[in-house]
Amino acid sequence: MDAKQVGFALLLLGIFLLIGKVLRVKVRWIQKIFLPSSIVGGFVALFLGPGVFGAIADKLGYHQFADGGLLGENVLSIWSTLPGLLISVVFATLFMGQDLPGPKRIVNIAGPQLSVGVAMATGQYVAGLLLTVAILVPLFGISPMAGALIEIGYEGGHGTAAGMIPVFKELGWSEGGDLSIGVATVGLVGGVVLGVALINWAVRTGRTQIVKETANRSVEEQQGLFRSDENYVAAHMTVRPSSIEPLSLHVAFLALAILIGQAMLSGLQWMEQMLWIDHIKLMAFVPLFPLAMIGGIIVQVLLKAVGYSHIIDSQMMLRIQGLALDILILAAMATISIKAISDNLVPFLVLCLGGVVLNLFVLLWLTPRTIPEYWFERGIGDFGQGMGVTATGLILMRIVDPEGKSPCFEAFGFKQLVFEPFFGGGIITAMVAPLIFSVGPWPVLIVMSIIFIAAVLSGLFYWGKSGRGWINPQAAIEHEEEHVRRDWRPSEELANPPGTLN
């Protein structure tokens, strides 16, 4: 395979991204469910690959298309390696250019949100592992590592699922990568569809505090376009191009972050080999991307320490992250093994349904008892993230709070600083499948159950009932005074409240 073939494969990725965008602009039902162009283009590429077009052509006697479809084996081989590489780019950029607040402020604002987020993430492990050990392993003979697929696919999204493909191959269960991509696809589509349905229900039943009627989104918003008179700043220039192109500098810092992550991972693997590799092999299966994220934080902290943190622009990093994520998603979607999903269809559907039920339970039961102020506006973000990706949560929060009047975005952002290093593609997400492979599902299930119960109890009794879940202390006082006035109001006044006719 030479450089020209690699270049051609990358050019094809651009063509399919463009096809996905054209379909997003032209097809109404795609607009209605806010499908990203990378997903749409990935579906088109998947259809033209060996799983659909190749299989049909093979049955019709055109056997030359059986292994690569219209795309060819070389293109698919190159695409299949991209997700495992680009996921480190996505995670390394998460906190670069961001202000890292002090721990006390993070706890005060993000505490209730963190309880909900941890309950959702660990609950996905509990639900997945229970379904796996009780039903899927004894009845269908699937690998116990299937218990990790809900959190990898739903909470982690396509990026994390794609990043785990080589890990599952190393662990001897290559179908796990394809299933995790499938779960992520169900989660992304289901997160938007269910999220919008839940928002309409919440508005009609008075559970939202900002939006009181369903807002009509413009045609441009549905198509994913800006109007010609809109001016949206994509990024800021932080250095003069005469010295170095700002994008080049950001890529250089990104490379440094990933290399720091690689050095940390190599060090941990070396320590494991020196200490306990004869008893348990774990770090050898941990992917690079969670350590790349920590590398990004280290670069940010070091630049702040020397007074140059301003030369990293968070919006520029977001553009790099978006490019990597678009290519990653399209490549991962296009190289899904449809056979792996069809061979495990019932376990796949059981896991997807179990994850949806768990997420709805956390949103509709736990969240209002943990977050008394703007509970739906804040909870719908965690629901969107828990079903698909962070962007899904942000889209849903923007629908219920279009002008940012509630604290949902601030609380969600601060929660991410604590949450992301561990769940949704963080260290715990990366380590659970190797742990299940090494020690079995039961120890992992017990640990996740303990953390889940702790998150639920802290939400109910520390943040909820104690009143610590209020961001605005004065609002909490007024809320309590209103309850006291209502409880002690004379029966005559209750029977004829002010403003009513006798």
Side-chain angles (χ1 to χ4, degrees):
M1 193 175 299
D2 57 27
K4 288 184 178 180
Q5 291 174 321
V6 175
F8 179 71
L10 296 178
L11 291 176
L12 275 183
L13 282 171
I15 297 301
F16 279 103
L17 281 172
L18 184 59
I19 291 172
K21 182 58 187 176
V22 171
L23 291 174
R24 170 66 187 265
V25 172
K26 296 296 184 181
V27 181
R28 290 288 297 169
W29 70 266
I30 294 178
Q31 298 170 16
K32 291 291 185 181
I33 59 176
F34 300 101
L35 270 183
S37 301
S38 56
I39 294 285
V40 180
F43 271 123
V44 175
L46 178 64
F47 179 82
L48 296 178
V52 180
F53 181 88
I56 295 173
D58 185 48
K59 289 185 177 181
L60 295 176
Y62 299 95
H63 306 298
Q64 66 270 29
F65 296 108
D67 295 327
L70 281 179
L71 302 175
E73 290 183 79
N74 288 337
V75 169
L76 293 174
S77 176
I78 294 168
W79 285 7
S80 66
T81 64
L82 293 178
L85 299 174
L86 292 176
I87 185 61
S88 296
V89 175
V90 173
F91 276 81
T93 58
L94 280 177
F95 297 119
M96 297 184 73
Q98 304 284 345
D99 290 329
L100 301 176
K104 184 176 180 181
R105 177 167 173 77
I106 292 176
V107 169
N108 289 339
I109 294 182
Q113 203 94 24
L114 188 61
S115 291
V116 171
V118 172
M120 188 169 289
T122 55
Q124 289 179 3
Y125 280 122
V126 172
L129 286 166
L130 283 175
L131 289 170
T132 299
V133 299
I135 300 174
L136 303 183
V137 171
L139 295 183
F140 299 96
I142 199 169
S143 169
M145 287 183 284
L149 292 182
I150 297 178
E151 202 274 346
I152 290 172
Y154 277 7
E155 193 77 53
H158 283 88
T160 302
M164 292 297 292
I165 290 175
V167 177
F168 282 119
K169 289 181 179 178
E170 284 286 326
L171 296 173
W173 189 47
S174 58
E175 295 93 340
D178 297 307
L179 291 174
S180 63
I181 292 292
V183 172
T185 303
V186 172
L188 182 63
V189 177
V192 175
V193 173
L194 279 175
V196 172
L198 286 166
I199 289 171
N200 282 281
W201 166 78
V203 170
R204 289 196 307 269
T205 56
R207 287 173 168 82
T208 54
Q209 292 181 243
I210 304 297
V211 177
K212 297 303 180 183
E213 59 182 14
T214 305
N216 292 321
R217 300 178 69 87
S218 68
V219 174
E220 289 81 8
E221 285 179 293
Q222 294 180 40
Q223 293 176 337
L225 300 172
F226 285 109
R227 298 191 309 272
S228 59
D229 60 340
E230 286 184 289
N231 183 20
Y232 186 88
V233 178
H236 294 89
M237 305 280 278
T238 58
V239 292
R240 298 184 185 276
S242 58
S243 64
I244 185 173
E245 172 60 36
L247 178 60
S248 302
L249 180 64
H250 283 70
V251 171
F253 280 124
L254 175 62
L256 177 61
I258 296 174
L259 286 174
I260 291 174
Q262 180 61 64
M264 294 172 63
L265 180 60
S266 299
L268 291 171
Q269 291 172 342
W270 177 83
M271 289 176 59
E272 182 181 62
Q273 289 177 346
M274 294 298 103
L275 296 176
W276 61 71
I277 195 168
D278 292 337
H279 305 287
I280 182 172
K281 190 177 181 181
L282 181 62
M283 297 307 300
F285 300 119
V286 172
L288 172 60
F289 63 85
L291 282 304
M293 177 177 59
I294 297 176
I297 295 174
I298 291 173
V299 170
Q300 181 68 24
V301 170
L302 290 176
L303 284 174
K304 185 175 182 180
V306 298
Y308 281 96
S309 61
H310 63 280
I311 65 175
I312 295 185
D313 176 47
S314 60
Q315 292 299 311
M316 185 77 78
M317 283 298 179
L318 198 61
R319 303 283 76 79
I320 298 173
Q321 180 191 106
L323 172 63
L325 193 57
D326 278 340
I327 295 174
L328 181 156
I329 290 174
L330 197 153
M333 289 290 300
T335 53
I336 290 176
S337 172
I338 296 178
K339 185 177 185 300
I341 295 178
S342 62
D343 289 345
N344 299 276
L345 184 60
V346 174
F348 172 78
L349 295 176
V350 168
L351 290 171
C352 290
L353 182 60
V356 170
V357 171
L358 184 280
N359 289 351
L360 288 173
F361 166 78
V362 172
L363 173 65
L364 300 179
W365 186 85
L366 180 62
T367 303
R369 291 167 172 80
T370 301
I371 307 176
E373 188 182 18
Y374 300 102
W375 75 266
F376 188 85
E377 286 82 355
R378 294 172 65 178
I380 197 65
D382 282 293
F383 176 81
Q385 182 188 30
M387 285 292 296
V389 290
T390 301
T392 304
L394 295 174
I395 289 171
L396 296 177
M397 284 193 293
R398 183 62 67 189
I399 295 174
V400 294
D401 186 10
E403 298 179 13
K405 294 181 179 179
S406 78
C408 63
F409 291 98
E410 184 182 20
F412 185 82
F414 283 168
K415 165 243 175 183
Q416 291 295 90
L417 293 176
V418 183
F419 183 84
E420 283 288 352
F422 301 99
F423 296 99
I427 295 172
I428 292 178
T429 302
M431 293 179 68
V432 166
L435 270 174
I436 295 173
F437 175 80
S438 300
V439 302
W442 287 105
V444 180
L445 175 58
I446 292 171
V447 172
M448 288 300 169
S449 298
I450 292 172
I451 301 175
F452 173 72
I453 293 170
V456 171
L457 293 179
S458 68
L460 293 176
F461 298 104
Y462 186 81
W463 299 111
K465 289 191 175 181
S466 68
R468 294 184 179 92
W470 291 87
I471 290 180
N472 181 3
Q474 184 59 38
I477 295 172
E478 293 174 358
H479 178 79
E480 186 63 30
E481 289 176 349
E482 176 62 27
H483 272 282
V484 171
R485 285 196 300 270
R486 187 164 61 243
D487 292 341
W488 287 94
R489 188 177 295 171
S491 58
E492 302 84 31
E493 189 176 348
L494 286 173
N496 299 289
T500 61
L501 297 176
N502 294 326

